[in-house]
Amino acid sequence: MTPSPVFRSPKAWAEFYDTHVVNPLVQENRFLAMSWSTPGRLLPFSKAKQILPDPFWAEHDTTIDCYWRAWELAFQNLKQPTAKNDFVSNYCDSAFNGNLFMWDAAFVTAYGLYGRRAFNFQGTLDNFYRKQHPDGFICREIAESNGQDTFQRFDPSSTGPDVLGWAEWNYYLKTGQKERLEAVFAPLLAYHQWLRRYHTWPDGSYWSTGWGCGMDNLPRVESPDDVNWSHGNLTWVDATLQAILSARVLLEMGLVLGRQAELGDVREELQRLSKFVNKFLWDEERQFYCDRRPDGHLSSMKHIGAYWALLARCVPPKRLRGFVNHLDNPVEFNRLHRIPALSADDPAFQGMGDYWCGGVWAPTNYMVLKGLDQNGQQELAHQIALNHVSNVVQVFTLEDTHWEGAEQFQQFFHLDGLQFDDKHTLWENYAPDHARPGGKSKPGYVGWTGLPPIAVLFEDVFGLDPQPLSQRLTWRIRLLEAHGIRRYPLGDEGLVDLKCESRKSLDEIPQVEIHSNMPLTLDIIWEGGAATLKIEKES
């Protein structure tokens, strides 16, 4: 994520015509009608720690240390709105350059939801809805100092990736808070419609840029000088797949809210784009989804953006195995630290990462894991998650990371004079072929790197899947060591203590101990067996 230049504020552009094509949905955006007021106080980490989920994992003390360090760093990045920036909710800073980033914030919510009793991380997204334009546009990067967009809306890199809807739907599924959907549905639909109007080609496929897609220096366009801000006349596979995912999420939201009648155009787009990607973006020989060049030929580059296809649920069953197999191939994505953003057989791949030219990134790893989970590939997701968390923890314990991380970061972004504490910390990205931070990686980054030690640990290592709408919790137990979580949140008020005793083999029946302040159904799954337990509320 390259820091952006600060452009002139809207006041400085007053001499130009107002070119907004007003979207009536924006009038429903309740965040625009909010007036700034003194925000609620922020809990210090010392007090929040007494409320946050408390995991344990025998023989993995450093993993638990890394978990708590991630929360500590996140709580150092909590901020309050000011009259000057006109934000409306307390938020978690992107921990990068003093600006709030759209896709960073979206991924922060994926682990932040587990800390919602101590801080409303989801409220970070409120500040993007607050800055929505009359036509539905939302800038991808907003200055925290004055609340101004850092891009004019018709700059090719002005917005994206389109993941706000997915972040909100993920929050709903894991918390059951329908009132949140009611608040965000209209601004999300208006934003989706803006992207469709201004970021598509005549065939309906989507485009972006290096900055707009978030994978800055991935050499997808022909000119290396244009890699950050040119669309290259390509159909961008990730942007198109994210549009499919956004459409699916909006349709799901519409069903919950009784607003399906408003989504005929979204339903049509979903069907049309799903056919498009499988006809025009699928490379049968390589069994992979690829960017499409203006002449209709597919790019030879295999990058992690293609795996949005799993979450978008547009991979036909007959193609799933071939597509997923790339993740297990050591020549491609199965490196020392899984999963590099760029396949290792690409000429641009760098074993130290070089940012998106092979770097391992928490948000894209999380995206792949959730896509695998959704497509019945939980065992592969567990293997990748173990590898990912293990490598993040290993780098967390290193004492000599400074040479590769902070210095390159300062040189790359021209930040001479900044001092970083780069010991026992988390990093913006990681090297795929070394137990090191990635090249040009920022230390102390939480930020989205809170994902592996928190959300990935809970969901794909421990195997917990909450379903608060049905007061149900699924636990896929794959570990042999004793493990569990105290104060695991379920729904609005639920708190569950879970413990699994150590086992000698994977097929041994797990011995679990459960305490809950609400009645729930617990589904336990292990190798070769399953059981359902009815847990009564404890007084």
Side-chain angles (χ1 to χ4, degrees):
M1 176 173 59
T2 309
S4 311
V6 177
F7 290 86
R8 290 186 288 177
S9 69
K11 290 183 179 179
W13 292 87
E15 67 270 24
F16 295 100
Y17 289 107
D18 180 354
T19 59
H20 292 98
V21 178
V22 176
N23 188 325
L25 285 163
V26 178
Q27 297 177 15
E28 290 186 49
N29 183 345
R30 65 185 66 175
F31 301 96
L32 295 175
M34 293 179 180
S35 58
W36 183 85
S37 60
T38 303
R41 66 185 182 90
L42 303 177
L43 278 182
F45 175 67
S46 58
K47 291 187 177 180
K49 189 174 182 179
Q50 302 170 33
I51 302 174
L52 293 167
D54 182 15
F56 57 93
W57 186 6
E59 303 174 32
H60 290 79
D61 291 346
T62 53
T63 301
I64 303 304
D65 291 343
C66 187
Y67 166 86
W68 286 117
R69 179 60 172 153
W71 279 125
E72 183 179 20
L73 288 169
F75 272 78
Q76 290 175 8
N77 294 331
L78 301 187
K79 295 186 178 180
Q80 296 178 307
T82 67
K84 191 170 183 179
N85 65 28
D86 197 34
F87 288 169
V88 292
S89 295
N90 290 337
Y91 61 98
C92 185
D93 176 43
S94 299
F96 191 74
N97 69 346
N99 292 341
L100 200 56
F101 285 80
M102 178 185 289
W103 88 310
D104 297 56
F107 279 102
V108 165
T109 67
Y111 69 83
L113 65 88
Y114 292 105
R116 61 187 180 274
R117 294 176 65 242
F119 181 77
N120 178 22
F121 287 84
Q122 202 73 16
T124 303
L125 303 186
D126 297 355
N127 299 313
F128 287 97
Y129 308 135
R130 171 66 166 182
K131 302 298 179 175
Q132 186 166 45
H133 288 230
D135 58 0
F137 170 77
I138 303 174
C139 189
R140 71 175 184 87
E141 188 178 347
I142 299 173
E144 296 173 45
S145 59
N146 59 15
Q148 299 296 331
D149 295 348
T150 57
F151 293 85
Q152 294 301 313
R153 70 190 195 285
F154 293 127
D155 186 309
S157 299
S158 66
T159 193
D162 185 7
V163 294
L164 289 176
W166 173 62
E168 296 287 3
W169 185 246
N170 181 59
Y171 183 78
Y172 170 70
L173 293 179
K174 290 187 170 71
T175 67
Q177 293 184 12
K178 180 180 176 180
E179 63 275 12
R180 177 77 189 176
L181 289 189
E182 294 172 344
V184 304
F185 175 78
L188 288 173
L189 178 55
Y191 176 60
H192 180 93
Q193 291 174 346
W194 189 93
L195 282 166
R196 186 201 304 151
R197 173 172 284 181
Y198 296 113
H199 273 236
T200 57
W201 299 118
D203 60 14
S205 65
Y206 281 70
W207 58 265
S208 188
T209 70
W211 279 3
C213 82
M215 297 189 291
D216 308 25
N217 68 329
L218 204 59
R220 299 164 72 169
V221 300
E222 291 185 4
S223 172
D225 295 331
D226 297 337
V227 67
N228 284 324
W229 39 78
S230 171
H231 54 57
N233 295 306
L234 299 173
T235 287
W236 291 58
V237 63
D238 45 343
T240 304
L241 291 167
Q242 287 157 2
I244 296 175
L245 175 59
S246 175
R248 285 197 183 280
V249 162
L250 287 167
L251 288 167
E252 296 278 10
M253 289 182 180
L255 184 62
V256 172
L257 300 174
R259 301 185 66 166
Q260 307 97 305
E262 303 172 48
L263 297 170
D265 61 325
V266 175
R267 188 174 295 105
E268 183 277 331
E269 184 184 30
L270 170 63
Q271 296 169 353
R272 175 171 43 81
L273 282 182
S274 297
K275 293 177 182 177
F276 180 92
V277 298
N278 280 297
K279 183 176 181 180
F280 294 111
L281 303 188
W282 175 256
D283 187 317
E284 181 65 25
E285 180 179 352
R286 284 178 294 162
Q287 298 282 290
F288 209 78
Y289 293 97
C290 303
D291 299 320
R292 188 170 187 246
R293 302 197 181 283
D295 61 4
H297 289 90
L298 294 179
S299 167
S300 62
M301 179 178 293
K302 298 192 296 291
H303 61 77
I304 202 165
Y307 283 99
W308 284 99
L310 296 175
L311 270 177
R313 302 206 307 270
C314 62
V315 184
K318 65 180 181 180
R319 291 178 174 174
L320 182 63
R321 176 45 52 194
F323 183 49
V324 167
N325 279 346
H326 296 280
L327 297 172
D328 252 344
N329 187 343
V331 177
E332 297 176 293
F333 293 103
N334 186 3
R335 309 299 287 180
L336 174 72
H337 190 168
R338 305 165 78 165
I339 311 160
L342 179 64
S343 177
D345 61 356
D346 192 283
F349 174 84
Q350 298 291 326
M352 277 304 303
D354 190 25
Y355 232 49
W356 289 94
C357 292
V360 179
W361 296 76
T364 45
N365 267 15
Y366 186 76
M367 172 270 291
V368 175
L369 292 174
K370 297 307 98 183
L372 290 171
D373 288 340
Q374 194 167 273
N375 285 269
Q377 304 292 313
Q378 289 88 359
E379 184 56 40
L380 177 58
H382 176 67
Q383 294 170 10
I384 293 173
L386 276 174
N387 171 276
H388 183 38
V389 172
S390 174
N391 277 282
V392 168
V393 171
Q394 186 173 352
V395 176
F396 171 77
T397 64
L398 293 177
E399 296 288 345
D400 60 344
T401 54
H402 184 80
W403 64 276
E404 188 60 48
E407 291 178 0
Q408 278 201 5
F409 178 83
Q410 291 183 148
Q411 293 169 6
F412 186 52
F413 295 124
H414 309 293
L415 301 175
D416 296 337
L418 287 183
Q419 297 297 316
F420 295 112
D421 177 9
D422 59 357
K423 294 180 180 179
H424 304 300
T425 195
L426 296 162
W427 294 76
E428 185 187 8
N429 63 83
Y430 294 83
D433 291 350
H434 307 271
R436 293 283 175 180
K440 304 166 187 171
S441 181
K442 180 180 180 180
Y445 191 79
V446 181
W448 54 37
T449 310
L451 283 163
I454 301 174
V456 175
L457 178 69
F458 286 5
E459 297 169 13
D460 291 297
V461 175
F462 285 6
L464 290 164
D465 179 16
Q467 300 121 52
L469 295 170
S470 57
Q471 289 188 235
R472 206 173 193 105
L473 179 63
T474 298
W475 194 357
R476 297 180 181 273
I477 299 177
R478 296 182 178 88
L479 302 176
L480 296 181
E481 303 90 352
H483 65 286
I485 305 175
R486 308 174 191 91
R487 301 191 297 270
Y488 181 85
L490 188 65
D492 285 338
E493 304 294 337
L495 286 175
V496 185
D497 291 346
L498 306 117
K499 180 180 181 180
C500 179
E501 300 289 351
S502 64
R503 298 182 296 158
K504 294 182 180 179
S505 64
L506 294 175
D507 58 1
E508 181 181 339
I509 299 174
Q511 301 299 311
V512 299
E513 182 179 342
I514 312 293
H515 302 277
S516 175
N517 68 351
M518 63 180 287
L520 67 93
T521 300
L522 179 67
D523 297 309
I524 302 176
I525 303 171
W526 67 97
E527 188 170 307
T532 297
L533 305 177
K534 297 292 185 180
I535 309 300
E536 299 296 329
K537 174 182 178 180
E538 294 187 3
S539 56

